[in-house]
Structure formats: structure tokens, C-alpha cells
Amino acid sequence: QVQLVESGGGLVQAGGSLRLSCAASGSMISINPMGWYRQAPGKQRELVATITSGGSANYAYSVKDRFTISRDNAKKTVYLQMNSLKPEDTAVYYCYALYTANGRGYWGQGTQVTVSS
């Protein structure tokens, strides 16, 4: 079992920055990959970024060069540094983890990010 707790969302002006954190329970060795997804009102949930246990990152084209995903295995935490935020980045951001021990995916409760123009 894996539990994910997100933090760091909020309201920011366009061009600003936010950092999201996702703390996981369980062994990080068995959690691979971890990532962030987002869902805007009226839209489907979409991939933002993922990172493997070895540190290989993958980004959606829309956030590449603006967002950076990282993970600290000792703290069992994955981060999403979001710079140069745009109004279209407004969404609920969800942390995701694939638990390799049972092959199941787990989601956090979501954190709201609102970017004003």
C-alpha cells in the first residue's frame, strides 16, 4: 500500500513560481515511477511529468523547460518545481505512484494551482 500526500499548491500570478511536494509512505525502492498529472475544469487528466527511481525524467511538451521534477528517496518525496507559470497551467495537480510490489497505481488527493493573468 502507498499513501501520497501533496502540498504546495496555491494562487500565483502569471510568470510566477510554485513548488509542489508529494510525500509517500512505503519503500521508495518499490515506487517506480512517480509523477504528476493535472486536470483542468472540463478537461481530461493529463500527464505533466514523471521520474523513475534512477532519476530519468519525462515531461509533457507544454511544460518542458518550465517545470522540473525531482525526487528525494531518503525523504520519500517527489517535487515539481514550476516556473514561468501561465494561466493555462491552472488545474488540480495530482501526484501518482506505481507500486511495483503489487503493480497498482496510487493517486494523491490533489492540490489546486491557480495562475492569474
Side-chain angles (χ1 to χ4, degrees):
Q1 290 285 345
V2 175
Q3 290 185 326
L4 304 171
V5 179
E6 300 125 332
S7 61
L11 173 64
V12 64
Q13 288 188 333
S17 299
L18 283 173
R19 189 175 83 152
L20 305 182
S21 300
C22 174
S25 63
S27 169
M28 288 293 277
I29 295 176
S30 298
I31 300 175
N32 188 34
M34 292 188 74
W36 292 93
Y37 287 70
R38 66 187 182 187
Q39 188 166 18
K43 295 188 177 181
Q44 290 189 333
R45 192 172 297 189
E46 63 177 4
L47 171 74
V48 177
T50 60
I51 187 167
T52 69
S53 58
S56 295
N58 179 55
Y59 297 93
Y61 180 80
S62 60
V63 306
K64 200 172 178 64
D65 298 328
R66 298 189 298 122
F67 291 9
T68 302
I69 189 170
S70 60
R71 64 190 280 172
D72 185 331
N73 290 334
K75 295 183 178 179
K76 299 182 180 182
T77 301
V78 64
Y79 304 96
L80 185 69
Q81 177 65 44
M82 305 184 293
N83 298 329
S84 302
L85 282 161
K86 304 175 181 180
E88 51 263 43
D89 295 317
T90 295
V92 178
Y93 284 69
Y94 295 91
C95 181
Y96 172 82
L98 180 61
Y99 190 43
T100 57
N102 61 16
R104 290 183 58 186
Y106 294 85
W107 295 93
Q109 80 283 359
T111 185
Q112 178 70 46
V113 171
T114 303
V115 185
S116 63
S117 57

mmCIF file of all heavy atoms in Angstrom, residues 48-65:
data_model
loop_
_atom_site.group_PDB
_atom_site.id
_atom_site.type_symbol
_atom_site.label_atom_id
_atom_site.label_comp_id
_atom_site.label_asym_id
_atom_site.label_seq_id
_atom_site.Cartn_x
_atom_site.Cartn_y
_atom_site.Cartn_z
ATOM 1 N N VAL A 48 1.857 15.450 -16.613
ATOM 2 C CA VAL A 48 2.720 16.632 -16.544
ATOM 3 C C VAL A 48 4.182 16.199 -16.604
ATOM 4 O O VAL A 48 4.948 16.650 -17.455
ATOM 5 C CB VAL A 48 2.464 17.429 -15.260
ATOM 6 C CG1 VAL A 48 3.431 18.610 -15.167
ATOM 7 C CG2 VAL A 48 1.019 17.914 -15.208
ATOM 8 N N ALA A 49 4.561 15.300 -15.697
ATOM 9 C CA ALA A 49 5.946 14.839 -15.654
ATOM 10 C C ALA A 49 6.032 13.565 -14.832
ATOM 11 O O ALA A 49 5.227 13.356 -13.915
ATOM 12 C CB ALA A 49 6.861 15.899 -15.040
ATOM 13 N N THR A 50 6.994 12.716 -15.180
ATOM 14 C CA THR A 50 7.270 11.516 -14.397
ATOM 15 C C THR A 50 8.765 11.397 -14.170
ATOM 16 O O THR A 50 9.570 11.982 -14.916
ATOM 17 C CB THR A 50 6.780 10.242 -15.098
ATOM 18 O OG1 THR A 50 7.452 10.117 -16.352
ATOM 19 C CG2 THR A 50 5.282 10.254 -15.316
ATOM 20 N N ILE A 51 9.123 10.633 -13.146
ATOM 21 C CA ILE A 51 10.524 10.407 -12.851
ATOM 22 C C ILE A 51 10.698 8.997 -12.327
ATOM 23 O O ILE A 51 9.891 8.514 -11.517
ATOM 24 C CB ILE A 51 11.065 11.455 -11.845
ATOM 25 C CG1 ILE A 51 12.575 11.312 -11.671
ATOM 26 C CG2 ILE A 51 10.331 11.378 -10.504
ATOM 27 C CD1 ILE A 51 13.219 12.505 -10.954
ATOM 28 N N THR A 52 11.724 8.316 -12.813
ATOM 29 C CA THR A 52 11.989 6.948 -12.378
ATOM 30 C C THR A 52 12.832 6.956 -11.107
ATOM 31 O O THR A 52 13.350 7.993 -10.678
ATOM 32 C CB THR A 52 12.733 6.175 -13.461
ATOM 33 O OG1 THR A 52 14.067 6.724 -13.584
ATOM 34 C CG2 THR A 52 12.015 6.252 -14.797
ATOM 35 N N SER A 53 12.987 5.770 -10.516
ATOM 36 C CA SER A 53 13.807 5.654 -9.317
ATOM 37 C C SER A 53 15.259 6.006 -9.606
ATOM 38 O O SER A 53 15.988 6.440 -8.713
ATOM 39 C CB SER A 53 13.712 4.244 -8.747
ATOM 40 O OG SER A 53 14.117 3.297 -9.725
ATOM 41 N N GLY A 54 15.665 5.871 -10.856
ATOM 42 C CA GLY A 54 17.025 6.218 -11.224
ATOM 43 C C GLY A 54 17.205 7.681 -11.587
ATOM 44 O O GLY A 54 18.321 8.121 -11.870
ATOM 45 N N GLY A 55 16.095 8.440 -11.592
ATOM 46 C CA GLY A 55 16.187 9.865 -11.843
ATOM 47 C C GLY A 55 15.907 10.306 -13.270
ATOM 48 O O GLY A 55 16.052 11.483 -13.602
ATOM 49 N N SER A 56 15.491 9.386 -14.120
ATOM 50 C CA SER A 56 15.158 9.765 -15.500
ATOM 51 C C SER A 56 13.788 10.421 -15.527
ATOM 52 O O SER A 56 12.807 9.861 -15.032
ATOM 53 C CB SER A 56 15.159 8.527 -16.392
ATOM 54 O OG SER A 56 16.454 7.985 -16.472
ATOM 55 N N ALA A 57 13.739 11.615 -16.120
ATOM 56 C CA ALA A 57 12.514 12.410 -16.127
ATOM 57 C C ALA A 57 11.915 12.501 -17.523
ATOM 58 O O ALA A 57 12.631 12.471 -18.526
ATOM 59 C CB ALA A 57 12.787 13.805 -15.594
ATOM 60 N N ASN A 58 10.596 12.635 -17.537
ATOM 61 C CA ASN A 58 9.851 12.781 -18.788
ATOM 62 C C ASN A 58 8.827 13.888 -18.575
ATOM 63 O O ASN A 58 8.191 13.956 -17.515
ATOM 64 C CB ASN A 58 9.142 11.464 -19.123
ATOM 65 C CG ASN A 58 8.338 11.566 -20.392
ATOM 66 O OD1 ASN A 58 8.852 11.929 -21.433
ATOM 67 N ND2 ASN A 58 7.055 11.272 -20.304
ATOM 68 N N TYR A 59 8.676 14.764 -19.565
ATOM 69 C CA TYR A 59 7.789 15.921 -19.417
ATOM 70 C C TYR A 59 6.799 16.019 -20.565
ATOM 71 O O TYR A 59 7.106 15.652 -21.708
ATOM 72 C CB TYR A 59 8.609 17.215 -19.392
ATOM 73 C CG TYR A 59 9.555 17.333 -18.235
ATOM 74 C CD1 TYR A 59 10.885 16.921 -18.352
ATOM 75 C CD2 TYR A 59 9.136 17.859 -17.020
ATOM 76 C CE1 TYR A 59 11.758 17.021 -17.286
ATOM 77 C CE2 TYR A 59 10.010 17.968 -15.947
ATOM 78 C CZ TYR A 59 11.314 17.551 -16.094
ATOM 79 O OH TYR A 59 12.179 17.652 -15.040
ATOM 80 N N ALA A 60 5.649 16.574 -20.266
ATOM 81 C CA ALA A 60 4.725 16.961 -21.321
ATOM 82 C C ALA A 60 5.341 18.118 -22.087
ATOM 83 O O ALA A 60 6.048 18.961 -21.513
ATOM 84 C CB ALA A 60 3.384 17.381 -20.727
ATOM 85 N N TYR A 61 5.055 18.178 -23.366
ATOM 86 C CA TYR A 61 5.646 19.228 -24.200
ATOM 87 C C TYR A 61 5.281 20.622 -23.680
ATOM 88 O O TYR A 61 6.104 21.539 -23.706
ATOM 89 C CB TYR A 61 5.165 19.063 -25.638
ATOM 90 C CG TYR A 61 5.720 20.096 -26.577
ATOM 91 C CD1 TYR A 61 7.010 19.969 -27.078
ATOM 92 C CD2 TYR A 61 4.962 21.217 -26.936
ATOM 93 C CE1 TYR A 61 7.521 20.924 -27.941
ATOM 94 C CE2 TYR A 61 5.472 22.175 -27.795
ATOM 95 C CZ TYR A 61 6.750 22.030 -28.298
ATOM 96 O OH TYR A 61 7.269 22.976 -29.137
ATOM 97 N N SER A 62 4.066 20.746 -23.156
ATOM 98 C CA SER A 62 3.576 22.061 -22.747
ATOM 99 C C SER A 62 4.315 22.627 -21.525
ATOM 100 O O SER A 62 4.243 23.825 -21.263
ATOM 101 C CB SER A 62 2.081 21.989 -22.447
ATOM 102 O OG SER A 62 1.830 21.068 -21.396
ATOM 103 N N VAL A 63 5.009 21.772 -20.772
ATOM 104 C CA VAL A 63 5.691 22.249 -19.565
ATOM 105 C C VAL A 63 7.203 22.107 -19.656
ATOM 106 O O VAL A 63 7.924 22.568 -18.755
ATOM 107 C CB VAL A 63 5.178 21.513 -18.304
ATOM 108 C CG1 VAL A 63 3.663 21.602 -18.201
ATOM 109 C CG2 VAL A 63 5.645 20.063 -18.266
ATOM 110 N N LYS A 64 7.670 21.482 -20.697
ATOM 111 C CA LYS A 64 9.110 21.274 -20.854
ATOM 112 C C LYS A 64 9.834 22.608 -20.834
ATOM 113 O O LYS A 64 9.382 23.585 -21.413
ATOM 114 C CB LYS A 64 9.373 20.530 -22.170
ATOM 115 C CG LYS A 64 10.713 19.841 -22.250
ATOM 116 C CD LYS A 64 10.787 18.990 -23.499
ATOM 117 C CE LYS A 64 12.143 18.320 -23.638
ATOM 118 N NZ LYS A 64 12.401 17.368 -22.564
ATOM 119 N N ASP A 65 10.941 22.662 -20.132
ATOM 120 C CA ASP A 65 11.784 23.859 -19.980
ATOM 121 C C ASP A 65 11.219 24.858 -18.984
ATOM 122 O O ASP A 65 11.857 25.879 -18.705
ATOM 123 C CB ASP A 65 12.029 24.566 -21.318
ATOM 124 C CG ASP A 65 12.769 23.704 -22.317
ATOM 125 O OD1 ASP A 65 13.607 22.882 -21.881
ATOM 126 O OD2 ASP A 65 12.500 23.828 -23.514
#
